[in-house]
mmCIF file with all atom_site columns, all heavy atoms in Angstrom:
data_model
loop_
_atom_site.group_PDB
_atom_site.id
_atom_site.type_symbol
_atom_site.label_atom_id
_atom_site.label_alt_id
_atom_site.label_comp_id
_atom_site.label_asym_id
_atom_site.label_entity_id
_atom_site.label_seq_id
_atom_site.pdbx_PDB_ins_code
_atom_site.Cartn_x
_atom_site.Cartn_y
_atom_site.Cartn_z
_atom_site.occupancy
_atom_site.B_iso_or_equiv
_atom_site.pdbx_formal_charge
_atom_site.auth_seq_id
_atom_site.auth_comp_id
_atom_site.auth_asym_id
_atom_site.auth_atom_id
_atom_site.pdbx_PDB_model_num
ATOM   1   N N   . PHE J 1 42  ? 96.079  89.954 92.075  1.00 99.00 ? 990  PHE J N   1
ATOM   2   C CA  . PHE J 1 42  ? 95.368  91.180 92.460  1.00 99.00 ? 990  PHE J CA  1
ATOM   3   C C   . PHE J 1 42  ? 95.170  91.109 93.946  1.00 99.00 ? 990  PHE J C   1
ATOM   4   O O   . PHE J 1 42  ? 94.831  90.084 94.499  1.00 99.00 ? 990  PHE J O   1
ATOM   5   C CB  . PHE J 1 42  ? 94.020  91.266 91.773  1.00 99.00 ? 990  PHE J CB  1
ATOM   6   C CG  . PHE J 1 42  ? 94.187  91.602 90.283  1.00 99.00 ? 990  PHE J CG  1
ATOM   7   C CD1 . PHE J 1 42  ? 93.837  90.677 89.280  1.00 99.00 ? 990  PHE J CD1 1
ATOM   8   C CD2 . PHE J 1 42  ? 94.768  92.836 89.896  1.00 99.00 ? 990  PHE J CD2 1
ATOM   9   C CE1 . PHE J 1 42  ? 94.093  91.010 87.993  1.00 99.00 ? 990  PHE J CE1 1
ATOM   10  C CE2 . PHE J 1 42  ? 94.944  93.132 88.562  1.00 99.00 ? 990  PHE J CE2 1
ATOM   11  C CZ  . PHE J 1 42  ? 94.603  92.214 87.624  1.00 99.00 ? 990  PHE J CZ  1
ATOM   12  N N   . PRO J 1 43  ? 95.414  92.236 94.721  1.00 99.00 ? 991  PRO J N   1
ATOM   13  C CA  . PRO J 1 43  ? 95.804  93.491 94.102  1.00 99.00 ? 991  PRO J CA  1
ATOM   14  C C   . PRO J 1 43  ? 97.244  93.407 93.534  1.00 99.00 ? 991  PRO J C   1
ATOM   15  O O   . PRO J 1 43  ? 98.074  92.616 94.087  1.00 99.00 ? 991  PRO J O   1
ATOM   16  C CB  . PRO J 1 43  ? 95.775  94.481 95.304  1.00 99.00 ? 991  PRO J CB  1
ATOM   17  C CG  . PRO J 1 43  ? 95.983  93.596 96.492  1.00 99.00 ? 991  PRO J CG  1
ATOM   18  C CD  . PRO J 1 43  ? 95.285  92.329 96.159  1.00 99.00 ? 991  PRO J CD  1
ATOM   19  N N   . ARG J 1 45  ? 100.254 95.362 93.663  1.00 98.00 ? 993  ARG J N   1
ATOM   20  C CA  . ARG J 1 45  ? 100.599 96.469 94.597  1.00 98.00 ? 993  ARG J CA  1
ATOM   21  C C   . ARG J 1 45  ? 101.680 97.390 94.020  1.00 98.00 ? 993  ARG J C   1
ATOM   22  O O   . ARG J 1 45  ? 101.958 98.387 94.656  1.00 98.00 ? 993  ARG J O   1
ATOM   23  C CB  . ARG J 1 45  ? 101.034 95.917 95.949  1.00 98.00 ? 993  ARG J CB  1
ATOM   24  C CG  . ARG J 1 45  ? 99.937  95.055 96.615  1.00 98.00 ? 993  ARG J CG  1
ATOM   25  C CD  . ARG J 1 45  ? 100.319 94.720 98.060  1.00 98.00 ? 993  ARG J CD  1
ATOM   26  N NE  . ARG J 1 45  ? 99.485  93.627 98.575  1.00 98.00 ? 993  ARG J NE  1
ATOM   27  C CZ  . ARG J 1 45  ? 99.155  93.443 99.803  1.00 98.00 ? 993  ARG J CZ  1
ATOM   28  N NH1 . ARG J 1 45  ? 99.533  94.278 100.759 1.00 98.00 ? 993  ARG J NH1 1
ATOM   29  N NH2 . ARG J 1 45  ? 98.374  92.371 100.202 1.00 98.00 ? 993  ARG J NH2 1
ATOM   30  N N   . LEU J 1 57  ? 95.708  98.251 103.023 1.00 98.00 ? 1005 LEU J N   1
ATOM   31  C CA  . LEU J 1 57  ? 95.696  96.897 103.585 1.00 98.00 ? 1005 LEU J CA  1
ATOM   32  C C   . LEU J 1 57  ? 96.639  96.769 104.769 1.00 98.00 ? 1005 LEU J C   1
ATOM   33  O O   . LEU J 1 57  ? 96.315  96.091 105.768 1.00 98.00 ? 1005 LEU J O   1
ATOM   34  C CB  . LEU J 1 57  ? 96.122  95.872 102.521 1.00 98.00 ? 1005 LEU J CB  1
ATOM   35  C CG  . LEU J 1 57  ? 95.051  95.592 101.430 1.00 98.00 ? 1005 LEU J CG  1
ATOM   36  C CD1 . LEU J 1 57  ? 95.662  94.761 100.308 1.00 98.00 ? 1005 LEU J CD1 1
ATOM   37  C CD2 . LEU J 1 57  ? 93.793  94.919 101.960 1.00 98.00 ? 1005 LEU J CD2 1
ATOM   38  N N   . PHE J 1 72  ? 90.290  98.948 94.111  1.00 99.00 ? 1020 PHE J N   1
ATOM   39  C CA  . PHE J 1 72  ? 90.604  97.542 93.798  1.00 99.00 ? 1020 PHE J CA  1
ATOM   40  C C   . PHE J 1 72  ? 90.125  97.214 92.363  1.00 99.00 ? 1020 PHE J C   1
ATOM   41  O O   . PHE J 1 72  ? 90.830  96.519 91.620  1.00 99.00 ? 1020 PHE J O   1
ATOM   42  C CB  . PHE J 1 72  ? 89.871  96.589 94.754  1.00 99.00 ? 1020 PHE J CB  1
ATOM   43  C CG  . PHE J 1 72  ? 90.635  96.304 96.037  1.00 99.00 ? 1020 PHE J CG  1
ATOM   44  C CD1 . PHE J 1 72  ? 90.133  96.696 97.241  1.00 99.00 ? 1020 PHE J CD1 1
ATOM   45  C CD2 . PHE J 1 72  ? 91.762  95.484 95.973  1.00 99.00 ? 1020 PHE J CD2 1
ATOM   46  C CE1 . PHE J 1 72  ? 90.850  96.392 98.421  1.00 99.00 ? 1020 PHE J CE1 1
ATOM   47  C CE2 . PHE J 1 72  ? 92.440  95.144 97.163  1.00 99.00 ? 1020 PHE J CE2 1
ATOM   48  C CZ  . PHE J 1 72  ? 91.947  95.617 98.387  1.00 99.00 ? 1020 PHE J CZ  1
ATOM   49  N N   . ARG J 1 76  ? 92.328  96.401 88.665  1.00 99.00 ? 1024 ARG J N   1
ATOM   50  C CA  . ARG J 1 76  ? 92.158  95.332 87.651  1.00 99.00 ? 1024 ARG J CA  1
ATOM   51  C C   . ARG J 1 76  ? 92.040  96.018 86.240  1.00 99.00 ? 1024 ARG J C   1
ATOM   52  O O   . ARG J 1 76  ? 92.714  95.585 85.295  1.00 99.00 ? 1024 ARG J O   1
ATOM   53  C CB  . ARG J 1 76  ? 90.909  94.508 87.936  1.00 99.00 ? 1024 ARG J CB  1
ATOM   54  C CG  . ARG J 1 76  ? 91.139  93.531 89.076  1.00 99.00 ? 1024 ARG J CG  1
ATOM   55  C CD  . ARG J 1 76  ? 89.905  92.643 89.352  1.00 99.00 ? 1024 ARG J CD  1
ATOM   56  N NE  . ARG J 1 76  ? 88.885  93.320 90.147  1.00 99.00 ? 1024 ARG J NE  1
ATOM   57  C CZ  . ARG J 1 76  ? 88.920  93.403 91.473  1.00 99.00 ? 1024 ARG J CZ  1
ATOM   58  N NH1 . ARG J 1 76  ? 89.937  92.936 92.157  1.00 99.00 ? 1024 ARG J NH1 1
ATOM   59  N NH2 . ARG J 1 76  ? 87.956  94.034 92.145  1.00 99.00 ? 1024 ARG J NH2 1
ATOM   60  N N   . ARG J 1 97  ? 93.633  85.714 92.799  1.00 99.00 ? 1045 ARG J N   1
ATOM   61  C CA  . ARG J 1 97  ? 92.544  86.603 93.150  1.00 99.00 ? 1045 ARG J CA  1
ATOM   62  C C   . ARG J 1 97  ? 92.120  87.486 91.965  1.00 99.00 ? 1045 ARG J C   1
ATOM   63  O O   . ARG J 1 97  ? 92.953  87.927 91.174  1.00 99.00 ? 1045 ARG J O   1
ATOM   64  C CB  . ARG J 1 97  ? 92.841  87.562 94.324  1.00 99.00 ? 1045 ARG J CB  1
ATOM   65  C CG  . ARG J 1 97  ? 93.038  86.874 95.685  1.00 99.00 ? 1045 ARG J CG  1
ATOM   66  C CD  . ARG J 1 97  ? 93.062  87.952 96.757  1.00 99.00 ? 1045 ARG J CD  1
ATOM   67  N NE  . ARG J 1 97  ? 93.400  87.484 98.080  1.00 99.00 ? 1045 ARG J NE  1
ATOM   68  C CZ  . ARG J 1 97  ? 92.540  86.909 98.916  1.00 99.00 ? 1045 ARG J CZ  1
ATOM   69  N NH1 . ARG J 1 97  ? 91.285  86.726 98.560  1.00 99.00 ? 1045 ARG J NH1 1
ATOM   70  N NH2 . ARG J 1 97  ? 92.914  86.490 100.109 1.00 99.00 ? 1045 ARG J NH2 1
ATOM   71  N N   . TYR J 1 98  ? 90.823  87.764 91.915  1.00 99.00 ? 1046 TYR J N   1
ATOM   72  C CA  . TYR J 1 98  ? 90.260  88.594 90.861  1.00 99.00 ? 1046 TYR J CA  1
ATOM   73  C C   . TYR J 1 98  ? 89.014  89.361 91.387  1.00 99.00 ? 1046 TYR J C   1
ATOM   74  O O   . TYR J 1 98  ? 88.932  89.563 92.580  1.00 99.00 ? 1046 TYR J O   1
ATOM   75  C CB  . TYR J 1 98  ? 89.920  87.685 89.656  1.00 99.00 ? 1046 TYR J CB  1
ATOM   76  C CG  . TYR J 1 98  ? 89.776  88.273 88.271  1.00 99.00 ? 1046 TYR J CG  1
ATOM   77  C CD1 . TYR J 1 98  ? 90.765  89.099 87.732  1.00 99.00 ? 1046 TYR J CD1 1
ATOM   78  C CD2 . TYR J 1 98  ? 88.638  88.000 87.488  1.00 99.00 ? 1046 TYR J CD2 1
ATOM   79  C CE1 . TYR J 1 98  ? 90.649  89.613 86.464  1.00 99.00 ? 1046 TYR J CE1 1
ATOM   80  C CE2 . TYR J 1 98  ? 88.528  88.569 86.185  1.00 99.00 ? 1046 TYR J CE2 1
ATOM   81  C CZ  . TYR J 1 98  ? 89.507  89.310 85.661  1.00 99.00 ? 1046 TYR J CZ  1
ATOM   82  O OH  . TYR J 1 98  ? 89.423  89.838 84.388  1.00 99.00 ? 1046 TYR J OH  1
ATOM   83  N N   . SER J 1 101 ? 87.188  88.230 94.684  1.00 98.00 ? 1049 SER J N   1
ATOM   84  C CA  . SER J 1 101 ? 87.740  88.695 95.944  1.00 98.00 ? 1049 SER J CA  1
ATOM   85  C C   . SER J 1 101 ? 87.180  90.109 96.235  1.00 98.00 ? 1049 SER J C   1
ATOM   86  O O   . SER J 1 101 ? 86.766  90.446 97.327  1.00 98.00 ? 1049 SER J O   1
ATOM   87  C CB  . SER J 1 101 ? 89.227  88.782 95.930  1.00 98.00 ? 1049 SER J CB  1
ATOM   88  O OG  . SER J 1 101 ? 89.816  87.514 96.074  1.00 98.00 ? 1049 SER J OG  1
ATOM   89  N N   . GLY J 1 102 ? 87.158  90.942 95.206  1.00 99.00 ? 1050 GLY J N   1
ATOM   90  C CA  . GLY J 1 102 ? 86.672  92.322 95.353  1.00 99.00 ? 1050 GLY J CA  1
ATOM   91  C C   . GLY J 1 102 ? 85.313  92.354 95.928  1.00 99.00 ? 1050 GLY J C   1
ATOM   92  O O   . GLY J 1 102 ? 85.014  93.063 96.872  1.00 99.00 ? 1050 GLY J O   1
ATOM   93  N N   . PHE J 1 105 ? 84.943  90.524 99.569  1.00 98.00 ? 1053 PHE J N   1
ATOM   94  C CA  . PHE J 1 105 ? 85.445  91.290 100.768 1.00 98.00 ? 1053 PHE J CA  1
ATOM   95  C C   . PHE J 1 105 ? 84.620  92.584 101.007 1.00 98.00 ? 1053 PHE J C   1
ATOM   96  O O   . PHE J 1 105 ? 84.174  92.797 102.146 1.00 98.00 ? 1053 PHE J O   1
ATOM   97  C CB  . PHE J 1 105 ? 86.953  91.678 100.489 1.00 98.00 ? 1053 PHE J CB  1
ATOM   98  C CG  . PHE J 1 105 ? 87.846  90.502 100.895 1.00 98.00 ? 1053 PHE J CG  1
ATOM   99  C CD1 . PHE J 1 105 ? 87.926  89.415 100.084 1.00 98.00 ? 1053 PHE J CD1 1
ATOM   100 C CD2 . PHE J 1 105 ? 88.557  90.522 102.097 1.00 98.00 ? 1053 PHE J CD2 1
ATOM   101 C CE1 . PHE J 1 105 ? 88.738  88.280 100.439 1.00 98.00 ? 1053 PHE J CE1 1
ATOM   102 C CE2 . PHE J 1 105 ? 89.329  89.427 102.501 1.00 98.00 ? 1053 PHE J CE2 1
ATOM   103 C CZ  . PHE J 1 105 ? 89.425  88.358 101.648 1.00 98.00 ? 1053 PHE J CZ  1
ATOM   104 N N   . TYR J 1 151 ? 92.034  93.005 106.787 1.00 98.00 ? 1099 TYR J N   1
ATOM   105 C CA  . TYR J 1 151 ? 90.880  92.037 106.762 1.00 98.00 ? 1099 TYR J CA  1
ATOM   106 C C   . TYR J 1 151 ? 91.216  90.685 107.510 1.00 98.00 ? 1099 TYR J C   1
ATOM   107 O O   . TYR J 1 151 ? 90.404  89.792 107.446 1.00 98.00 ? 1099 TYR J O   1
ATOM   108 C CB  . TYR J 1 151 ? 90.550  91.736 105.332 1.00 98.00 ? 1099 TYR J CB  1
ATOM   109 C CG  . TYR J 1 151 ? 90.052  92.887 104.551 1.00 98.00 ? 1099 TYR J CG  1
ATOM   110 C CD1 . TYR J 1 151 ? 90.504  93.171 103.289 1.00 98.00 ? 1099 TYR J CD1 1
ATOM   111 C CD2 . TYR J 1 151 ? 89.038  93.730 105.052 1.00 98.00 ? 1099 TYR J CD2 1
ATOM   112 C CE1 . TYR J 1 151 ? 90.058  94.278 102.551 1.00 98.00 ? 1099 TYR J CE1 1
ATOM   113 C CE2 . TYR J 1 151 ? 88.592  94.785 104.361 1.00 98.00 ? 1099 TYR J CE2 1
ATOM   114 C CZ  . TYR J 1 151 ? 89.067  95.053 103.068 1.00 98.00 ? 1099 TYR J CZ  1
ATOM   115 O OH  . TYR J 1 151 ? 88.638  96.177 102.350 1.00 98.00 ? 1099 TYR J OH  1
HETATM 116 N N1  . LIG K 2 .   ? 91.059  92.141 98.374  1.00 86.87 ? 1247 LIG K N1  1
HETATM 117 C C1  . LIG K 2 .   ? 91.604  91.659 97.238  1.00 86.87 ? 1247 LIG K C1  1
HETATM 118 C C2  . LIG K 2 .   ? 89.972  92.979 98.354  1.00 86.87 ? 1247 LIG K C2  1
HETATM 119 O O1  . LIG K 2 .   ? 89.447  93.394 99.392  1.00 86.87 ? 1247 LIG K O1  1
HETATM 120 N N2  . LIG K 2 .   ? 89.438  93.326 97.153  1.00 86.87 ? 1247 LIG K N2  1
HETATM 121 C C3  . LIG K 2 .   ? 89.980  92.928 96.006  1.00 86.87 ? 1247 LIG K C3  1
HETATM 122 O O2  . LIG K 2 .   ? 89.488  93.295 94.886  1.00 86.87 ? 1247 LIG K O2  1
HETATM 123 C C4  . LIG K 2 .   ? 91.099  92.021 96.028  1.00 86.87 ? 1247 LIG K C4  1
HETATM 124 C C5  . LIG K 2 .   ? 91.731  91.563 94.743  1.00 86.87 ? 1247 LIG K C5  1
HETATM 125 O O3  . LIG K 2 .   ? 93.078  92.181 99.665  1.00 86.87 ? 1247 LIG K O3  1
HETATM 126 F F1  . LIG K 2 .   ? 92.508  90.531 102.168 1.00 86.87 ? 1247 LIG K F1  1
HETATM 127 C C6  . LIG K 2 .   ? 91.681  91.777 99.645  1.00 86.87 ? 1247 LIG K C6  1
HETATM 128 C C7  . LIG K 2 .   ? 91.759  90.286 99.944  1.00 86.87 ? 1247 LIG K C7  1
HETATM 129 C C8  . LIG K 2 .   ? 92.964  90.200 100.911 1.00 86.87 ? 1247 LIG K C8  1
HETATM 130 C C9  . LIG K 2 .   ? 93.843  91.315 100.432 1.00 86.87 ? 1247 LIG K C9  1
HETATM 131 O O4  . LIG K 2 .   ? 95.650  89.837 100.184 1.00 86.87 ? 1247 LIG K O4  1
HETATM 132 C C10 . LIG K 2 .   ? 95.026  90.858 99.560  1.00 86.87 ? 1247 LIG K C10 1
HETATM 133 P P1  . LIG K 2 .   ? 96.686  88.866 99.495  1.00 86.87 ? 1247 LIG K P1  1
HETATM 134 O O5  . LIG K 2 .   ? 97.259  88.147 100.660 1.00 86.87 ? 1247 LIG K O5  1
HETATM 135 O O6  . LIG K 2 .   ? 97.658  89.760 98.830  1.00 86.87 ? 1247 LIG K O6  1
HETATM 136 O O7  . LIG K 2 .   ? 95.981  88.009 98.501  1.00 86.87 ? 1247 LIG K O7  1
#
Side-chain angles (χ1 to χ4, degrees):
F990 289 113
R993 300 189 197 211
L1005 289 171
F1020 273 113
R1024 285 182 279 278
R1045 295 192 185 277
Y1046 200 52
S1049 283
F1053 278 74
Y1099 297 132

